[in-house]
Amino acid sequence: MVICKMLRTLCPMIGLLLSVLLGDVVRADEENDYYRMVSIAAPESQTESRDPNWKPSDDGIALEVSGIAVLSPSRLAVAIRKGEVWLLDGVDEVTGDDDSERVSYHRFATALHEPLGLLHHDDSLITVQRTEMTRLRDTTGDDVADEYETIASGWGVSGHYHEYAYGPKLDPDGNLWMTLNIGMGLKGEQLKQIVPDAPFGYRQAAWRGWAMKVTPHGTLQPVCAGMRSPSGLGANADGDMFYTDQQGNWVATNSLNHMRPGAFFHHPESLASMELEGSTIHDVAKVPNGIAYPEALKRFPQMQPPAVWFPYKKAGQSATDILLDSSGGGFGPFAGQLFVGEFTQASINRVFLEKVDGEYQGACFPFRRGFASAVLRMAQAEDGSVYVGLTNRGWSSLGTSPYGLQRLTWTGETPFEIQEMRAKPDGFELVFTRPVDVGSASDVQSYGMTSHTYLYQSSYGSDEVLKRHLNIRKAIVSEDRMRVQLKVDGLRELFVHELDAHGVLDANGKPLLHRKAFYTLNNLPQK
């Protein structure tokens, strides 16, 4: 690895060749040069996560983080899957793996039913349990919740294990958003809780697969549907709300979706609630099956495309939390962009969004690998650093721990990355974080591009279909060497356009830290 770095410095052309031959493998351990992680808690459990008699670490609490709220520079509130909320003090003092003993733990709340989110709002902590949204308040100042208030309830719960409930997240208007999993293969006593006489004979409890919000006046309102396992939700810089979904039946691969009233996304079993009072989705006559996604959208007018597809394994296998970088540069050159957690690969991906014809679309990029366990929750501190909550129980992930809490900090060094990828009528504009080498960046042989779509189908996931190699006929470097215009033939709407900028070097002859980008082109700009 050291030899590779020396050769790149001595000869940009050799560096280019190594980049093409070795790909992202060369850069996997270099992410740490720009974004360093420190473990606040990352113990080993006594059994594998899928063991039916799973046992946590015998040292301290089982910190299976399911929600994080930053209370001050030194204090976090952390929800855990066991059904508790803990206060952690001294977290800002942990600068190395040997400092974890500086953190103190104090239990704030208990007896919750699998809380899968945590929000600090006004003088309270708010979480979503399986059956209700709950406000936790300490009225006596002893750091123990003595008031558990039901903010909202009323969605169906059959008892199926997959009926997770996530949230809340706050929007600019003061609404508290939450999302609800679909139940999978309900049977027995569970069928007593399904919506009676549901459309298409779907068997789900009320509002499963929906996003809902609680207004500032306390009213619970259904917003949109079609969700399978929407474990991440959050707002972008403009205050619009998004959720992530995970590959499965009816969901081709992981996706990021813009939530708004009346939108339907993937999973038709959520239509079991279509005729309930308050539904925002109406008049679905037929659900197509086994056809390419662009054609499915024509036949299913209520269905909306994702803002971003995450190609399976290339950009994660199970998307989770959404974090807006609101640090204003304190977390590096990606202020205003979104970071998306990844469960199976124990990593974080990055998303750039833009609006074309009034709808969101954009690109996802690899960002940071190597967390100790599955990334489920993220929260940003005042200094821009990011707390990352981990838990993999019930499903496998990379990493050395089954659960824990880590902190990711920017070193102050700017990585050479594709900062933005914007759609143009005849191609794409790439914005870089550092000036490019004109020779390599203007050479069309430095790039490769393909496009593909997916099948909309009831079976699990989808392969990439209708794949095509695209011709990049010109690469034009801007005067400041921070942008490159790619002129591309054969762009297709509603297709993912996969870019491999394998040959692009910066002004010092160094390759990109991550050379891949995946742009979901829903609408082609007209000018």
Side-chain angles (χ1 to χ4, degrees):
M1 197 68 64
V2 174
I3 294 174
C4 291
K5 292 182 180 179
M6 291 174 60
L7 287 172
R8 285 198 190 99
T9 301
L10 294 173
C11 180
M13 289 307 296
I14 294 178
L16 170 59
L17 179 60
L18 288 170
S19 178
V20 172
L21 293 177
L22 300 179
D24 286 339
V25 175
V26 176
R27 263 140 315 275
D29 62 348
E30 294 181 14
E31 294 173 335
N32 190 59
D33 294 339
Y34 306 98
Y35 289 92
R36 293 178 182 161
M37 62 180 70
V38 61
S39 293
I40 296 171
E44 294 185 5
S45 63
Q46 301 179 61
T47 61
E48 297 294 329
S49 63
R50 287 197 174 204
D51 192 312
N53 299 308
W54 179 80
K55 296 179 181 179
S57 167
D58 57 6
D59 181 21
I61 64 172
L63 204 70
E64 298 182 273
V65 178
S66 57
I68 308 175
V70 178
L71 305 182
S72 74
S74 62
R75 170 174 271 200
L76 295 182
V78 173
I80 61 174
R81 289 175 56 176
K82 182 181 178 180
E84 299 174 342
V85 176
W86 288 76
L87 301 178
L88 279 58
D89 286 294
V91 289
D92 58 336
E93 297 181 21
V94 180
T95 58
D97 292 344
D98 296 332
D99 296 336
S100 58
E101 293 184 358
R102 299 185 180 185
V103 178
S104 63
Y105 296 78
H106 181 80
R107 191 167 66 182
F108 179 76
T110 189
L112 302 170
H113 190 176
E114 198 165 34
L116 290 174
L118 195 63
L119 174 71
H120 182 222
H121 185 50
D122 295 332
D123 62 343
S124 309
L125 290 170
I126 304 175
T127 189
V128 174
Q129 305 184 64
R130 285 254 170 162
T131 59
E132 67 171 59
M133 184 182 294
T134 310
R135 187 190 312 276
L136 308 170
R137 184 182 288 117
D138 168 22
T139 64
T140 61
D142 61 353
D143 283 341
V144 175
D146 48 69
E147 187 173 283
Y148 293 63
E149 176 191 356
T150 300
I151 297 176
S153 61
W155 55 89
V157 178
S158 73
H160 190 274
Y161 87 96
H162 201 256
E163 290 177 338
Y164 302 118
Y166 309 98
K169 290 290 182 72
L170 187 69
D171 72 14
D173 296 324
N175 299 299
L176 297 169
W177 289 67
M178 57 173 289
T179 52
L180 298 169
N181 257 37
I182 283 285
M184 298 292 182
L186 274 60
K187 58 185 178 181
E189 291 293 312
Q190 298 164 354
L191 296 176
K192 294 181 179 180
Q193 305 300 323
I194 65 174
V195 177
D197 302 318
F200 307 105
Y202 290 138
R203 302 196 295 183
Q204 293 288 337
W207 306 116
R208 305 311 310 184
W210 283 70
M212 311 188 83
K213 67 180 181 181
V214 179
T215 70
H217 301 293
T219 303
L220 180 66
Q221 296 179 347
V223 181
C224 51
M227 303 168 182
R228 178 183 178 272
S229 190
S231 67
L233 64 159
N236 69 351
D238 290 331
D240 290 324
M241 299 299 292
F242 292 80
Y243 84 93
T244 61
D245 216 336
Q246 299 181 355
Q247 184 192 64
N249 57 329
W250 295 106
V251 184
T253 186
N254 301 331
S255 59
L256 177 73
N257 307 271
H258 174 210
M259 296 188 288
R260 65 270 200 200
F264 174 88
F265 297 103
H266 304 284
H267 209 294
E269 289 190 34
S270 63
L271 297 175
S273 299
M274 180 174 64
E275 295 177 357
L276 297 182
E277 183 179 355
S279 172
T280 60
I281 297 173
H282 309 284
D283 303 322
V284 176
K286 185 177 181 181
V287 177
N289 189 5
I291 60 177
Y293 206 83
E295 180 62 26
L297 288 167
K298 294 179 183 178
R299 300 188 191 181
F300 194 167
Q302 292 88 348
M303 188 161 68
Q304 302 298 314
V308 171
W309 289 108
F310 296 85
Y312 196 66
K313 292 190 176 179
K314 299 174 182 178
Q317 294 176 237
S318 41
T320 58
D321 210 8
I322 299 170
L323 174 72
L324 169 67
D325 180 5
S326 56
S327 67
F331 194 59
F334 308 116
Q337 296 190 16
L338 300 179
F339 293 95
V340 174
E342 160 56 28
F343 192 100
T344 307
Q345 295 183 4
S347 63
I348 296 175
N349 292 303
R350 176 171 59 89
V351 170
F352 164 76
L353 291 173
E354 61 177 340
K355 267 189 174 181
V356 178
D357 291 341
E359 299 294 338
Y360 283 106
Q361 60 187 43
C364 63
F365 311 82
F367 175 66
R368 187 62 165 94
R369 290 161 284 186
F371 290 94
S373 188
V375 175
L376 185 64
R377 292 289 173 256
M378 300 178 290
Q380 193 162 47
E382 292 180 12
D383 64 359
S385 63
V386 173
Y387 290 101
V388 182
L390 314 170
T391 175
N392 74 358
R393 183 157 61 91
W395 200 255
S396 300
S397 78
L398 297 177
T400 58
S401 299
Y403 54 81
L405 179 68
Q406 294 182 296
R407 190 178 190 181
L408 191 64
T409 60
W410 179 44
T411 66
E413 297 293 325
T414 298
F416 181 42
E417 297 271 43
I418 303 172
Q419 184 181 43
E420 300 176 3
M421 183 176 180
R422 295 180 175 273
K424 298 296 179 183
D426 56 355
F428 295 94
E429 179 185 60
L430 307 180
V431 180
F432 295 88
T433 57
R434 299 204 303 242
V436 298
D437 163 65
V438 175
S440 63
S442 62
D443 184 355
V444 295
Q445 299 303 316
S446 294
Y447 309 88
M449 182 172 284
T450 61
S451 63
H452 68 267
T453 188
Y454 300 99
L455 293 177
Y456 182 63
Q457 58 185 3
S458 58
S459 55
Y460 195 99
S462 170
D463 292 334
E464 297 176 358
V465 300
L466 302 179
K467 194 167 183 175
R468 181 184 298 172
H469 288 272
L470 304 181
N471 176 48
I472 300 176
R473 52 186 167 81
K474 188 177 291 188
I476 305 170
V477 180
S478 64
E479 289 187 10
D480 62 3
R481 296 179 295 154
M482 298 295 289
R483 299 170 183 264
V484 174
Q485 296 280 345
L486 296 180
K487 306 295 184 179
V488 183
D489 297 327
L491 300 179
R492 294 184 287 178
E493 292 185 331
L494 300 173
F495 279 68
V496 177
H497 291 68
E498 178 177 335
L499 172 70
D500 186 350
H502 54 77
V504 176
L505 306 174
D506 71 3
N508 295 317
K510 294 185 177 181
L512 287 158
L513 183 64
H514 300 103
R515 69 192 214 188
K516 294 289 187 74
F518 308 91
Y519 191 99
T520 300
L521 185 66
N522 290 327
N523 295 306
L524 191 63
Q526 298 303 306
K527 59 180 180 178

